[in-house]
């Protein structure tokens, strides 16, 4: 894909826009002339949670669908704030782009048909490639994080101010035309992001027409193709069984009669055969993991509830909401699973089961089974440290945990405030009192509450990332990580706690924060810190690595480089190199780069050239410059910059 220049701003047309009509030819002319600008507008308004690749394709799809079917009334809002009415064709397609981008960010509702913008785009599509804009500097990443914390209408208001230069009155009209009920509130929320960052909206970071291309995961693609073929074959066999006369799968509930033909499957669905471990079994066991958790809760003898949970696990009905962490199989158990918990939690009845590979959580309302949910999490190979707690339930922004039988106390800690101490939580039969959960929180991140559990071996920190099993937090070199409860470890994590939001819902097992370098800033304002955070998953692949940069006095750090499925910053490749464009207080731009202590030299090429012995590099640069980084380790091995 060839790079394109940033789109020219639309030229205003003469005459009033009020009362005009726009035909397809006018709208098409405006769309063709200002296509890159409209795509940038859609990309900025779309929710960042879609991911950069999908945002790119969705932004192009929304811009291409902005043409009217015939003649349409042009909005009164000018295309550009110039004191004259703007091009009505551009004003029309811009409104359609804003409206559809806002619709794309609204959650799907079970009581209403999804709108076209809420569905993944059919076209354009790119198979076998991941497309994403060129990365920007620390300021662009910080702006992207601030925009991601805004609601969709507020994000649109900020972009229309900074990119389109519209007045607040004009923005109110655009948002109202786009279906926003309270445009004034959106403008007020947009005030939280400084106006000084408006020029960054023209950065290549947000240019969805100037893209980089990388291949998708080739091995995973092959596995998915083989799995799809196997699933198609299984579906054909199941269809043949359904068509057979006599006893087939049948419509009588989730426990299909076909299972009764298999003794192992019959045992797996029999609540009387559930494995219930003795409360003292863990004290003499050779290993400590979920297999030695006792069955707890007031409903462990409720056969009807346990039978429903097992039946739904074996074959969930169409009304059951099923979720699973990535690459976690959701089929029924091969034999009788372990019962870990059965009881009432807030307004639901909950059953938690374990089959040696997965944790399954079944939940139903107290007043019936409508709205039942089934969640899976992969936990194979869990150690004592990783099987210290499970999420029992979430309600009103809080979470309750069921802790391991060897946990003696639990507390709540704000990871972003290392000196705040621990607030004790009550433990009742291993169940914690509610604590604030960051998993479902929206808006600007200022705190990150974690669970601290203590046993005979000491304390450790666990964080809720929206899954059944909380992720364990560690610090230190990848080859010798340690628990994140010491003073030094807490100070390392504090500025980067909010970066944990980047790995929510990814099946994360552990997250390690490694403070690998400190670098003196060239203007004498102090030393910046470099931290690498690496999230490991239960499935082995899918790791997520962030290189983060924090200047003196900064409350939070900024992610300056991201990568997935790479060995950097991990036990197999315990080295890292990253860089950032940084602006001094005097207005001079620099390329700052840092590697870990094992780096012998660093060099930059491309838009910025320079080299230095040792692990640190400081070179004057131009704003928006792009550079490639290379490092040489002590043994002569070369490493690339992250990102």
């Amino acid at each position: 894909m060839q790079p394109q220049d940033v789109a020219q701003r639309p030229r205003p047309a003469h005459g009033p826009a009020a009362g005009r009509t726009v035909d397809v030819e006018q709208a098409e002319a405006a769309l063709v002339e200002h296509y890159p600008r409209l795509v940038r507008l859609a990309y900025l308004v779309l929710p960042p949670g879609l991911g950069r690749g999908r945002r790119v394709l969705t932004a192009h799809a929304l811009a291409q669908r902005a043409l009217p079917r015939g003649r349409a009334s042009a909005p009164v809002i000018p295309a550009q704030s110039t004191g004259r009415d703007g091009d009505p064709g551009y004003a029309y397609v811009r409104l359609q782009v804003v409206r559809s981008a806002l619709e794309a960010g609204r959650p799907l509702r079970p009581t209403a048909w999804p709108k076209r913008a809420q569905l993944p785009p059919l076209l354009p599509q790119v198979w076998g490639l991941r497309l994403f804009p060129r990365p920007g500097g620390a300021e662009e990443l910080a702006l992207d994080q601030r925009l991601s914390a805004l609601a969709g209408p507020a994000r649109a208001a900020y972009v229309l101010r900074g990119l389109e230069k519209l007045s607040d009155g004009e923005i109110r009209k655009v948002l109202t035309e786009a279906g926003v009920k309270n445009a004034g509130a959106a403008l007020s929320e947009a005030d939280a992001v400084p106006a000084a960052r408006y020029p960054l909206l023209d950065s290549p970071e947000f240019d969805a027409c100037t893209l980089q291309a990388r291949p998708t995961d080739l091995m995973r693609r092959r596995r998915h193709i083989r799995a799809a073929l196997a699933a198609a074959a299984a579906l054909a066999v199941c269809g043949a069984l359904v068509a057979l006369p006599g006893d087939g799968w049948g419509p009588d509930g989730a426990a299909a009669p076909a299972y009764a033909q298999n003794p192992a499957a019959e045992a797996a669905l029999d609540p009387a055969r559930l494995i219930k471990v003795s409360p003292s079994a863990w004290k003499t066991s050779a290993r400590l993991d979920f297999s030695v958790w006792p069955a707890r809760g007031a409903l462990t003898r409720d056969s009807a509830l346990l039978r429903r949970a097992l039946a739904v696990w074996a074959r969930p009905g169409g009304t059951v909401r099923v979720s699973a962490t990535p690459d976690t199989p959701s089929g029924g158990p091969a034999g009788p699973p372990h019962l870990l918990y059965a009881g009432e939690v807030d307004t639901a009845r909950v059953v938690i089961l374990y089959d040696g590979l997965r944790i399954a959580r079944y939940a139903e309302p107290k007043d019936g089974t409508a709205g039942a949910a089934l969640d899976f999490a992969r936990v194979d190979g869990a150690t004592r440290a990783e099987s210290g707690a499970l999420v029992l339930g979430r309600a009103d922004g809080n979470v309750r945990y069921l802790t391991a039988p060897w946990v003696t106390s639990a507390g709540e800690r704000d990871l972003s405030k290392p000196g705040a101490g621990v607030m004790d939580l009550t433990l009742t039969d291993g169940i914690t009192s509610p604590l604030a959960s960051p998993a479902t929180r929206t808006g600007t991140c200022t705190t990150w509450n974690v669970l601290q559990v203590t046993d005979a071996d000491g304390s450790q920190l666990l964080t809720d990332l929206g899954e059944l099993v909380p992720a364990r937090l560690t610090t230190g070199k990848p080859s010798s990580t340690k628990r994140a409860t010491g003073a030094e470890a807490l100070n390392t994590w504090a500025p980067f706690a909010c970066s944990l939001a980047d790995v929510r819902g990814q099946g994360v097992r552990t997250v390690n924060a490694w403070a690998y370098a400190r670098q003196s800033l060239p203007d004498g304002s102090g030393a910046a810190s470099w931290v690498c955070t690496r999230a490991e998953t239960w499935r082995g692949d899918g790791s997520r690595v962030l290189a983060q940069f924090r200047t003196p006095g900064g409350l939070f750090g900024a992610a300056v480089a991201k990568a997935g499925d790479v060995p950097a910053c991990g036990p197999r490749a315990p080295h890292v190199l990253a860089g950032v464009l940084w602006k001094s207080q005097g207005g001079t731009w620099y390329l700052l780069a840092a590697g870990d202590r094992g780096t012998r030299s660093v060099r930059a090429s491309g838009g910025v050239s320079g080299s230095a012995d040792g692990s640190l590099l400081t070179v004057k640069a131009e704003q928006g410059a792009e550079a490639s980084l290379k490092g040489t380790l002590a043994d002569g091995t070369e490493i690339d910059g992250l990102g």
Side-chain angles (χ1 to χ4, degrees):
M1 182 172 298
Q2 296 296 324
Q4 299 182 21
D5 294 331
V6 175
Q8 176 185 351
R9 296 191 182 276
R11 295 189 300 271
H14 298 285
R20 289 190 181 185
T21 58
V22 177
D23 56 28
V24 177
E25 288 76 13
Q26 285 179 289
E28 182 181 19
L31 179 63
V32 171
E33 181 179 0
H34 308 300
Y35 182 79
R37 185 172 191 78
L38 291 165
V39 172
R40 181 189 292 265
L41 176 65
Y43 182 85
L44 285 163
V45 176
L46 283 168
L50 293 176
R52 299 177 76 195
R54 183 174 169 188
R55 280 172 74 192
V56 165
L57 296 180
T58 303
H60 282 273
L62 298 184
Q64 292 171 17
R65 294 203 297 256
L67 291 179
R69 295 179 181 272
R71 296 175 66 84
S73 296
V76 181
I77 304 92
Q80 187 179 5
S81 180
T82 60
R84 296 178 294 169
D85 291 338
D87 175 7
Y90 178 76
Y92 178 86
V93 293
R94 181 184 62 196
L95 174 61
Q96 302 311 308
V97 167
V98 171
R99 175 185 287 128
S100 55
L102 290 174
E103 289 175 351
R106 294 177 185 135
L108 295 173
R109 293 186 299 172
T111 58
W113 286 101
K115 295 190 176 182
R116 188 179 183 186
Q118 294 176 286
L119 301 175
L122 297 177
L123 292 173
Q125 289 287 353
V126 180
W127 299 101
L129 290 177
R130 292 184 299 166
L131 300 178
F132 48 89
R134 296 177 179 272
E139 292 185 341
E140 287 86 347
L141 287 169
L143 176 59
D144 196 32
Q145 291 177 348
R146 295 291 297 272
L147 291 179
S148 68
L150 299 179
R155 192 163 51 246
Y158 186 85
V159 174
L160 289 171
R161 274 178 180 167
L163 190 66
E164 293 293 288
K165 310 301 181 187
L166 296 183
S167 67
D168 284 3
E170 294 162 350
I171 293 172
R172 282 191 180 89
K173 294 176 182 178
V174 172
L175 295 181
T176 302
E177 286 282 339
V180 176
K181 295 181 179 179
N182 194 341
L187 285 165
S188 299
E189 186 180 352
D191 291 336
V193 183
R197 299 188 178 183
Y198 286 156
L200 296 177
L201 296 175
D202 281 315
S203 165
E205 171 84 10
F206 309 117
D207 185 1
C209 286
T210 305
L211 304 172
Q212 290 180 318
R214 295 290 187 273
T216 56
D217 190 325
L218 302 179
M219 294 301 295
R220 184 180 298 176
R221 195 192 312 168
R222 291 184 181 180
R223 290 197 300 268
H224 287 177
I225 292 175
R226 289 196 295 266
L229 293 175
L235 184 61
V237 172
C238 292
L241 290 175
V242 170
L244 290 176
D247 292 335
W249 288 81
D252 53 345
Y259 280 103
Q261 308 301 320
N262 185 314
E266 181 182 3
L269 296 178
D270 186 355
R273 300 192 183 187
L274 281 171
I275 300 172
K276 299 178 182 179
V277 177
S278 165
S280 60
W282 66 272
K283 297 179 180 179
T284 57
S285 175
R287 66 179 189 179
L288 292 181
D289 57 17
F290 295 112
S291 66
V292 294
W293 277 33
R296 287 171 283 183
L299 301 179
T300 56
R301 298 182 181 275
D302 188 335
S303 296
L305 172 63
L306 299 177
R307 187 180 299 279
R308 285 196 300 274
L310 291 167
V312 171
W313 186 354
R315 198 186 77 181
T319 60
V320 177
R321 180 189 61 78
V322 180
S323 69
T325 55
D327 288 349
T328 301
S330 58
H338 289 239
L339 175 62
L340 304 186
Y341 180 84
E344 293 186 352
V345 181
D346 297 321
T347 60
R349 289 187 290 264
V350 175
V351 178
I352 298 181
L353 303 163
Y354 169 67
D355 69 349
L357 171 67
R358 301 163 293 172
I359 296 292
R361 178 184 180 273
Y362 170 77
E364 65 180 26
K366 289 182 180 180
D367 56 357
T369 59
L374 181 65
D375 304 305
F376 294 97
R378 185 171 172 177
V379 292
D380 47 316
T383 64
R384 171 176 181 161
E386 295 157 349
S387 53
L390 291 173
V391 171
L392 196 56
R394 296 187 183 90
D396 301 324
N398 295 321
V399 59
R400 288 181 185 268
Y401 291 98
L402 178 66
T403 61
W406 53 85
V407 170
T408 56
S409 64
E412 179 179 5
R413 176 186 285 279
D414 185 350
L415 191 61
S416 65
K417 298 177 177 61
V422 182
M423 183 177 69
D424 291 337
L425 298 172
T426 59
L427 276 181
T428 305
D429 197 20
I431 301 173
T432 68
S433 52
L435 64 151
S437 171
T440 57
R441 182 177 56 202
T442 59
T444 303
C445 176
T446 57
T447 61
W448 193 277
N449 296 314
V450 296
L451 173 70
Q452 179 168 310
V453 293
T454 303
D455 58 24
D457 281 354
S459 299
Q460 63 176 333
L461 298 184
L462 306 172
T463 182
D464 183 13
L465 295 179
E467 299 167 349
L468 288 179
V469 184
R472 184 167 63 101
L473 302 181
T474 60
T475 58
K477 295 180 179 179
S479 57
S480 57
T481 60
K482 57 186 178 182
R483 302 182 183 207
T485 50
E488 182 181 353
L490 291 172
N491 286 325
T492 297
W493 260 115
F496 309 101
C498 289
S499 68
L500 288 166
D502 191 68
V503 292
R504 285 186 291 201
Q506 300 299 311
V508 174
R509 183 173 188 163
T510 61
V511 188
N512 184 62
W514 174 31
Y516 69 90
R518 285 185 63 81
Q519 185 173 21
S520 297
L521 297 175
D523 64 351
S525 59
S529 57
W530 291 86
V531 168
C532 178
T533 57
R534 180 181 176 90
E536 299 285 1
T537 65
W538 287 95
R539 61 191 182 275
D541 62 354
S543 61
R544 183 76 166 168
V545 180
L546 298 180
Q548 304 194 67
F549 178 79
R550 181 193 177 209
T551 55
L555 184 60
F556 296 108
V560 298
K562 302 180 182 182
D565 294 327
V566 296
C569 197
R572 290 180 54 196
H575 300 285
V576 63
L577 172 64
V580 63
L581 284 177
W582 176 79
K583 185 180 180 181
S584 70
Q585 295 178 354
T588 304
W589 285 88
Y590 293 89
L591 170 65
L592 305 179
D596 63 278
R597 292 184 180 179
T599 307
R600 179 194 297 169
S601 63
V602 180
R603 62 186 182 277
S605 60
V608 182
S609 297
S611 62
D613 293 332
S615 60
L616 304 175
L617 172 67
T618 302
V619 183
K620 284 188 176 181
E622 298 292 332
Q623 181 180 5
E626 297 182 6
S628 297
L629 293 175
K630 291 281 188 181
T632 303
L633 303 180
D635 61 0
T637 303
E638 285 199 344
I639 60 173
D640 293 324
L642 192 68

